[in-house]
Amino acid sequence: MSIENIIVLIKGGGEMASGVAHRLSTCHLRICMTEIPKPQAVRREVSFCEAVYEGEKTVEGITAQCISSYDEIEEAWKADRIPLIVDPTFSIKDILKPDVIVDARIAKKNLGTKITDAPLVIALGPGFSAGKDAHLVIETNRGHNLGKIITEGEAEKNTGIPGEIAGFSAERVFRAPKNGVLSTVKEIGDYVEPEDVIAFVEDASIKAEIKGVIRGLLRDGAEVWKGMKTGDVDPRGIKEHCYTISDKARAVGGGVLEGILSYIYQ
């Protein structure tokens, strides 16, 4: 089986899904992505799901194009683009008949993916059991096992504690203080100091706790709920990192690629 003929259908278009799609696309696999009508990615500058709003989204030289029907997939591939379709029920699976399905939604639980959905089913992170829900599970927790392929059992449990960057963890994450509509004051790439106002949810402000650069921020006008992650600060303060794929997403993408290659050449 030639790698150029492998069709991979990716559920989700957020940061991790996009890191996977980017790595597979550069290796010449044929990728298609699905999304919901109003995706809410925090790291929008490196998330292909932004194509839902903008028509297309380019991340490190690879462009995803939002399409409206199955008939446009082949055309997108010929143009060296990743087709992304709004399909919350994942009905395109039955039409496309992919060789590989990757559940990259990072929902921390299985939202309906079955091991019988494709010849090879790969799931990212906790909520899936390898050998039961998917053939392979990829570890997404930062640390020694990040990107590891799990062939039996589950990934590490979700701790609810953000990964540490430059000594900071929970304090680098913005969260909604109440239910409502987000109104942003700052933008991705802006430098901030402690107590700077980042956004509002109705009349309640969201402020930075540490200094750094805003690496991720939900779209202005997004509907949020109390405690929901709305953005994050990178304390390293390197603006270029806001627009490039993270080490975590690259590692996870590498794990998926390894899993697919092992399947092809077994």
Side-chain angles (χ1 to χ4, degrees):
M1 185 182 293
S2 172
I3 194 169
E4 291 86 355
N5 295 325
I6 297 293
I7 296 176
V8 182
L9 188 54
I10 300 177
K11 291 183 176 183
E15 178 190 2
M16 290 299 117
S18 298
V20 170
H22 191 282
R23 174 146 285 185
L24 300 185
S25 181
T26 59
C27 293
H28 307 292
L29 284 83
R30 292 190 286 176
I31 314 301
C32 183
M33 306 179 78
T34 67
E35 256 298 352
I36 58 176
K38 293 183 178 180
Q40 291 191 320
V42 169
R43 289 212 63 205
R44 292 184 288 113
E45 292 298 336
V46 290
S47 295
F48 286 131
C49 66
E50 285 294 284
V52 173
Y53 301 102
E54 300 175 2
E56 60 181 48
K57 179 63 178 179
T58 300
V59 178
E60 291 194 25
I62 301 292
T63 300
Q65 175 183 336
C66 189
I67 62 173
S68 56
S69 72
Y70 168 81
D71 297 333
E72 299 174 61
I73 292 177
E74 192 68 39
E75 184 178 344
W77 284 339
K78 288 179 180 178
D80 290 326
R81 295 187 165 205
I82 297 174
L84 183 149
I85 190 167
V86 174
D87 182 14
T89 63
F90 206 53
S91 59
I92 197 171
K93 167 180 70 70
D94 299 321
I95 302 172
L96 192 59
K97 294 180 171 54
D99 302 289
V100 183
I101 287 177
V102 181
D103 191 327
R105 293 174 288 183
I106 317 293
K108 312 296 194 302
K109 60 182 178 180
N110 189 345
L111 299 177
T113 294
K114 299 181 180 64
I115 197 170
T116 55
D117 285 342
L120 177 62
V121 177
I122 301 174
L124 307 188
F128 301 92
S129 179
K132 179 182 176 183
D133 304 309
H135 297 96
L136 306 173
V137 173
I138 308 298
E139 182 57 65
T140 58
N141 195 21
R142 288 185 183 275
H144 183 74
N145 293 319
L146 177 63
K148 179 182 178 180
I149 295 175
I150 299 167
T151 57
E152 185 177 347
E154 303 181 9
E156 296 174 19
K157 300 294 184 183
N158 177 35
T159 64
I161 301 172
E164 186 175 299
I165 295 178
F168 295 98
S169 178
E171 55 269 77
R172 66 181 180 80
V173 175
F174 308 137
R175 297 196 181 276
K178 61 191 294 187
N179 298 346
V181 176
L182 185 74
S183 177
T184 58
V185 175
K186 300 289 188 179
E187 298 179 354
I188 292 174
D190 286 348
Y191 292 97
V192 294
E193 297 285 341
E195 296 301 312
D196 282 356
V197 175
I198 309 301
F200 289 91
V201 179
E202 310 302 337
D203 58 347
S205 64
I206 299 174
K207 297 181 180 180
E209 294 186 36
I210 61 174
K211 68 178 181 179
V213 63
I214 298 177
R215 190 175 67 157
L217 189 63
L218 289 177
R219 275 182 165 263
D220 184 67
E223 294 184 7
V224 300
W225 60 86
K226 185 176 181 179
M228 178 181 177
K229 181 179 178 179
T230 56
D232 70 281
V233 166
D234 188 333
R236 294 169 295 190
I238 302 173
K239 187 172 182 177
E240 290 76 13
H241 288 181
C242 303
Y243 309 101
T244 54
I245 298 167
S246 70
D247 53 348
K248 179 176 179 178
R250 291 189 200 280
V252 171
V256 173
L257 177 60
E258 180 186 341
I260 293 173
L261 292 178
S262 297
Y263 163 72
I264 295 173
Y265 297 112
Q266 63 184 341

